[in-house]
Amino acid sequence: PEDIKKLMYPFKYSSTFTRKETKIDDSNLKEREKERIFCQRCYNLKYHNKIKSSSSSSSSSSWQENLTMDKSFLNFLQKKKNSIILTIIDIIDFPGSLIKNLDNLIGKNNPNILIANKIDLLPKNFDEDMIKIWLKNSCSEYGIKNIHKIFLCSAKKNWMIKDLCNEISKIKYYNDNIYLIGNTNVGKSELINSFLRTYVHNSKKYEVTSSHIPGTTINMLGLPLNIFGDTFGKSIKGMLFNNNNNNQEDHRFLFDTPGIVNENQLFHFLDQEELKMIIPQKSIRPLTYVFKPGKSLLFGGLGRIDYKMGEKPIRITVFSGLDSHITSIEKADKFYKQLSSNEQNHFLKPPIGSIERLKKFPEIIKSIKDLKVVSNEELYIKTKKVSILDIVWSGVGWCSIGGVKIGETAIFDVWSPDGKGVYVRNVPL
Ligand code: GDP
């Protein structure tokens, strides 16, 4: 029944989120697009989703050459005082897209706004408040406590962008630049573009190149805040210059910083075509399976979960843009042995391509062994929620384990390429 379903899982069943979308006037967009001048690298990214090395004529040159940024470059933020930090994460890759040790990196004096991006990909009708509380608690578990406020946004669809900018303009002690930080591929460039689309007349002139290829912002990119007009301009200037001199030029910048490489993100293993296969284009439709002991759920060639031991069937709900399949554990073992051969099964994709490509793909190994899942009776009585935990494949999706009866234990093995990129997290309660 609906009322029972509602209690189970906020990503799927709740209905309190109202989407605040800013309508953008895109008349003459095509005309303006024609006027834009791209460098060759950005042109290839935007129109062909390819990165071509400027030093080599080979079109197969890898985007990975750009993935050289680690988070040490953020050390300069510790010395800053009163800079607003916008930390962006990908909601469908949480906690995988969280920057570890963030509080130390950005220092105490800089207010940190957490932006959970790509909200448009979540199943419709999720519970906004519940997800915010869950994000806050989970961040705290990872030692991230300095969070001024959390915003659930979609940079692509301009959801909540005005609210976010209003909040930024309200922060009082703000007298330095704004820095946007996050792992590769979380949507930093798209967010800057969303600010531009929302606030800047003829924004196409400034737009930054956004692509599903990780690592596409090479250097720190600064946009003068005065192009944003009222939002970051006048209201801030009033506070900044004690209302004495509102005409003074604003010389501060909004910086889009290079993506921080997290080697655990699974899309570092994928090439351009494969990335296209895993990144969902629209809101994810959850799929619930009855999962019996002895069965394995396959996430293409990127991982699997085996229900190794347990008394009864449980419920497993998959949230991913990638097709999932259920088979027996024995068959799964056999299929994954074929992964690097040309007999590769159609449901083990990605990886895709030539036999050389398949051979190069990292072996799928056990990342978590004997994961014990038990129902928490106390929690069940308190919340009436039967989902117990989520297993997340970074950037690929997650599955929510539910329906383990009180007093029973279900035991799982979880597999991923090279044993990387898998997280177990509590479900939002
Ligand atoms: P960056 O590496 O952090 O600068 O990430 P990009 O801005 O280049 O975005 C990475 C990929 O995520 C691109 O394919 C974007 O189109 C996509 N993306 C960014 N923001 C959103 C969003 O709000 N919703 C969806 N569905 N996709 C997004």
Side-chain angles (χ1 to χ4, degrees):
E2 258 331 282
D3 54 336
I4 294 187
K5 279 186 187 168
K6 270 187 193 161
L7 294 166
M8 292 198 312
Y9 202 66
F11 285 138
K12 192 178 177 191
Y13 297 114
S14 312
S15 58
T16 58
F17 187 72
T18 37
R19 301 192 151 91
K20 293 197 181 171
E21 184 166 3
T22 310
K23 287 265 176 283
I24 307 297
D25 175 15
D26 63 355
S27 52
N28 299 330
L29 200 67
K30 286 215 173 95
E31 279 309 305
R32 279 190 266 133
E33 184 81 339
K34 272 192 224 153
E35 290 167 16
R36 291 190 69 195
I37 298 171
F38 292 98
C39 74
Q40 192 186 25
R41 177 178 177 277
C42 289
Y43 184 87
N44 281 329
L45 264 172
K46 188 162 176 71
Y47 293 106
H48 305 297
N49 270 318
K50 272 189 189 152
I51 290 187
K52 199 171 168 188
S53 164
S54 50
S55 58
S56 145
S57 58
S58 155
S59 62
S60 63
S61 74
S62 161
W63 46 263
Q64 289 177 341
E65 64 198 343
N66 292 309
L67 298 179
T68 50
M69 274 301 162
D70 66 34
K71 58 188 176 188
S72 61
F73 94 101
L74 286 182
N75 288 342
F76 73 93
L77 287 177
Q78 287 173 328
K79 296 179 200 102
K80 297 256 163 216
K81 286 204 172 108
N82 307 335
S83 292
I84 294 182
I85 313 295
L86 306 178
T87 305
I88 175 164
I89 56 162
D90 176 347
I91 192 74
I92 65 160
D93 184 11
F94 182 82
S97 59
L98 203 58
I99 303 171
K100 309 288 167 330
N101 201 21
L102 189 63
D103 279 7
N104 286 343
L105 282 173
I106 62 179
K108 285 194 197 105
N109 301 314
N110 304 310
N112 178 21
I113 295 182
L114 186 78
I115 301 163
N117 189 35
K118 306 195 191 178
I119 285 294
D120 57 297
L121 295 179
L122 285 187
K124 297 196 170 84
N125 304 328
F126 56 88
D127 187 321
E128 182 183 10
D129 292 335
M130 210 182 251
I131 290 189
K132 281 186 185 165
I133 294 169
W134 167 70
L135 284 172
K136 187 151 197 211
N137 292 341
S138 307
C139 285
S140 173
E141 278 167 28
Y142 282 95
I144 300 167
K145 299 196 171 147
N146 169 19
I147 297 179
H148 172 79
K149 208 160 179 176
I150 298 177
F151 281 86
L152 308 183
C153 296
S154 165
K156 206 169 189 172
K157 308 237 171 183
N158 310 309
W159 291 352
M160 297 303 281
I161 300 303
K162 279 198 166 168
D163 297 58
L164 169 65
C165 292
N166 285 340
E167 183 61 35
I168 295 172
S169 69
K170 272 197 260 164
I171 298 180
K172 289 231 168 70
Y173 310 104
Y174 157 81
N175 58 14
D176 200 351
N177 300 318
I178 301 177
Y179 294 91
L180 176 60
I181 62 173
N183 279 338
T184 47
N185 221 38
V186 290
K188 291 179 296 303
S189 307
E190 194 69 54
L191 185 72
I192 297 265
N193 288 335
S194 181
F195 288 160
L196 290 167
R197 285 193 295 267
T198 310
Y199 287 107
V200 180
H201 175 66
N202 199 5
S203 61
K204 281 271 155 194
K205 204 163 80 185
Y206 301 100
E207 202 165 276
V208 297
T209 304
S210 156
S211 156
H212 63 242
I213 302 172
T216 45
T217 306
I218 300 179
N219 295 311
M220 201 123 100
L221 189 90
L223 287 166
L225 287 187
N226 59 17
I227 66 166
F228 290 100
D230 279 0
T231 307
F232 300 112
K234 272 190 207 151
S235 58
I236 299 297
K237 266 187 241 165
M239 294 173 203
L240 205 59
F241 302 112
N242 300 324
N243 293 320
N244 290 335
N245 192 355
N246 278 1
N247 295 327
Q248 196 154 345
E249 274 280 297
D250 190 338
H251 293 298
R252 290 162 309 132
F253 284 83
L254 166 60
F255 282 109
D256 181 11
T257 63
I260 297 161
V261 177
N262 172 356
E263 283 177 358
N264 262 317
Q265 286 175 297
L266 292 180
F267 36 61
H268 295 318
F269 291 127
L270 304 177
D271 68 20
Q272 298 162 22
E273 285 307 306
E274 293 161 350
L275 281 169
K276 271 197 222 162
M277 287 176 80
I278 67 153
I279 297 177
Q281 294 304 308
K282 50 183 191 221
S283 93
I284 296 171
R285 292 189 58 190
L287 263 180
T288 300
Y289 297 95
V290 173
F291 200 34
K292 293 185 184 155
K295 294 284 179 184
S296 179
L297 185 139
L298 319 181
F299 266 109
L302 295 180
R304 62 188 249 213
I305 170 165
D306 299 346
Y307 184 6
K308 200 164 139 185
M309 257 190 271
E311 298 286 310
K312 302 234 171 72
I314 56 147
R315 202 193 60 237
I316 192 161
T317 306
V318 180
F319 298 76
S320 175
L322 200 63
D323 287 343
S324 49
H325 300 270
I326 289 196
T327 185
S328 66
I329 292 177
E330 297 77 60
K331 278 195 183 147
D333 285 339
K334 207 171 105 204
F335 291 150
Y336 280 92
K337 279 201 189 104
Q338 293 171 2
L339 192 65
S340 62
S341 79
N342 53 3
E343 290 166 55
Q344 190 197 8
N345 235 306
H346 74 277
F347 45 76
L348 294 187
K349 293 171 179 171
I352 49 172
S354 63
I355 188 126
E356 285 76 34
R357 165 71 190 136
L358 301 178
K359 283 214 163 106
K360 257 203 248 160
F361 197 74
E363 198 186 342
I364 306 295
I365 58 173
K366 269 183 208 170
S367 164
I368 305 173
K369 221 174 154 206
D370 294 332
L371 174 72
K372 280 197 181 74
V373 179
V374 282
S375 267
N376 180 335
E377 193 167 1
E378 206 182 312
L379 200 67
Y380 177 76
I381 292 166
K382 222 159 77 189
T383 64
K384 289 282 175 289
K385 287 188 171 121
V386 291
S387 274
I388 301 163
L389 50 79
D390 286 347
I391 296 166
V392 190
W393 280 261
S394 168
V396 179
W398 71 95
C399 51
S400 170
I401 293 179
V404 180
K405 301 265 175 329
I406 306 287
E408 283 172 13
T409 305
I411 301 178
F412 302 91
D413 283 341
V414 185
W415 305 61
S416 68
D418 227 2
K420 288 202 168 141
V422 172
Y423 301 86
V424 176
R425 67 182 187 197
N426 293 322
V427 300
L429 288 175

